[in-house]
Amino acid sequence: MKRFFKPIEKEGSAKKPSLSPSKNGAENGDALPEVDVKKEPLKFLTWNANSLLLRVKSNWPEFSNFVSNLDPDVIAIQEVRMPAAGSKGAPKKPGELKDDTSPSREEKQILMRALSSPPFGNYHVWWSLADTKYAGTALLVKKCLRPLKVSFSLDGTVSKHEPDGRVILAEFETLRILNTYAPNNGWKDEENSFQRRRKWDKRLLEFVVQSSDKPLIWCGDLNVSHEDIDVSHPEFFSAAKMNGYVPPNKEGKVSRRV
């Protein structure tokens, strides 16, 4: 017969839950609040925000509803375009938002107010930012999930950030989550940006091979136009490339097809 009742434990025999974050807390200096801990993330959302502050000002209700309905465990955001902390001429802190000027303080307040409202208040946020309003990534993980380690470079160094804040790597017991904003390939093969992308791809391949001890969930904007649907105006870009046109805005360049 199936047993429906839990046996009564002897007084003082019940094990007390451990409050130590040493195994469940991220080893990057951030103290996480005590919450009911879920084991591993199962649902992921990735989004190129193309300026997170602009999205907060214009599209936040829609995005908030989307996140509430989807209820992802992890949200990977690219191109947040928020500058890193640090005054002019001083070393930057890529893991913190800039707030040493009146405009930057106001922008930080707007952004953090949005990220503390439902449903985002249920997430812990990690940043990797560029020196200016360019590139940058953010990783939001539910507070009931405790990564073993969060790092910001492809070599796994916690304190070191990739240039322009292009990487956030969260390691859990059974998997890793990689959030990347890949460099643009540029418009011509001989440009420096093309060589930069080649070096990036080589390092990323090395990272994937060396990280084969557990599954890798790779999220992000990979800046790759595999098919026409991956480009905003495929006919225009195809004709422009053939006719030698160079767009005035470097960020508007199409990525090289692979």
Side-chain angles (χ1 to χ4, degrees), residues 47-60 63 75 77-82 97 107 110-112 114-115 120 125-127 129 135-140:
W47 182 39
N48 181 312
N50 191 19
S51 175
L52 188 56
L53 183 64
L54 183 60
R55 300 286 79 81
V56 167
K57 293 179 177 179
S58 58
N59 307 100
W60 207 241
F63 185 60
I75 305 173
I77 302 178
Q78 308 85 42
E79 213 169 351
V80 297
R81 294 197 177 193
M82 291 293 291
L97 294 166
E107 291 177 348
I110 293 172
L111 191 55
M112 297 312 296
L115 291 175
F120 303 100
V125 186
W126 284 271
W127 303 96
L129 306 170
T137 51
L139 189 71
L140 285 69

Side-chain angles (χ1 to χ4, degrees), residues 7-233:
I8 299 175
E9 298 179 12
K10 294 181 180 180
E11 187 175 352
S13 63
K15 292 183 179 179
K16 294 182 179 180
S18 172
L19 298 179
S20 171
S22 58
K23 290 187 178 181
N24 292 323
E27 297 175 356
N28 67 336
D30 289 328
L32 300 181
E34 291 298 330
V35 292
D36 292 333
V37 178
K38 203 162 105 179
K39 193 172 180 183
E40 302 283 71
L42 298 174
K43 190 181 292 186
F44 309 89
L45 169 65
T46 182
W47 182 39
N48 181 312
N50 191 19
S51 175
L52 188 56
L53 183 64
L54 183 60
R55 300 286 79 81
V56 167
K57 293 179 177 179
S58 58
N59 307 100
W60 207 241
E62 294 86 347
F63 185 60
S64 298
N65 290 335
F66 178 76
V67 171
S68 295
N69 293 330
L70 184 64
D71 192 29
D73 295 322
V74 175
I75 305 173
I77 302 178
Q78 308 85 42
E79 213 169 351
V80 297
R81 294 197 177 193
M82 291 293 291
S87 57
K88 188 175 181 180
K92 304 299 182 182
K93 300 177 181 178
E96 301 177 20
L97 294 166
K98 181 178 177 66
D99 63 357
D100 63 315
T101 64
S102 180
S104 64
R105 278 193 295 272
E106 182 180 352
E107 291 177 348
K108 179 180 178 179
Q109 288 173 359
I110 293 172
L111 191 55
M112 297 312 296
R113 193 179 301 122
L115 291 175
S116 63
S117 64
F120 303 100
N122 296 325
Y123 295 82
H124 185 84
V125 186
W126 284 271
W127 303 96
S128 188
L129 306 170
D131 293 350
T132 60
K133 288 185 176 181
Y134 171 74
T137 51
L139 189 71
L140 285 69
V141 179
K142 275 188 175 179
K143 292 177 179 176
C144 60
L145 297 163
R146 300 272 182 99
L148 302 175
K149 177 182 178 182
V150 177
S151 52
F152 307 93
S153 67
L154 292 176
D155 60 14
T157 306
V158 173
S159 58
K160 176 186 175 184
H161 288 246
E162 291 287 338
D164 301 326
R166 295 186 179 276
V167 169
I168 302 181
L169 175 66
E171 182 171 355
F172 291 83
E173 194 73 41
T174 61
L175 58 86
R176 292 184 180 92
I177 301 170
L178 177 64
N179 179 22
T180 65
Y181 177 44
N184 194 288
N185 237 1
W187 193 255
K188 296 181 179 179
D189 291 357
E190 64 269 18
E191 288 185 346
N192 292 335
S193 55
F194 182 79
Q195 298 303 324
R196 177 184 64 166
R197 179 57 184 266
R198 278 293 182 92
K199 291 178 181 178
W200 165 274
D201 290 344
K202 182 176 182 293
R203 291 183 61 218
L204 202 47
L205 177 60
E206 290 172 352
F207 167 80
V208 171
V209 172
Q210 293 169 4
S211 304
S212 59
D213 57 317
K214 61 176 68 174
L216 175 68
I217 308 296
W218 183 7
C219 308
D221 181 348
L222 307 187
N223 248 327
V224 173
S225 304
H226 177 56
E227 297 178 350
D228 284 350
I229 196 174
D230 300 316
V231 187
S232 57
H233 300 84

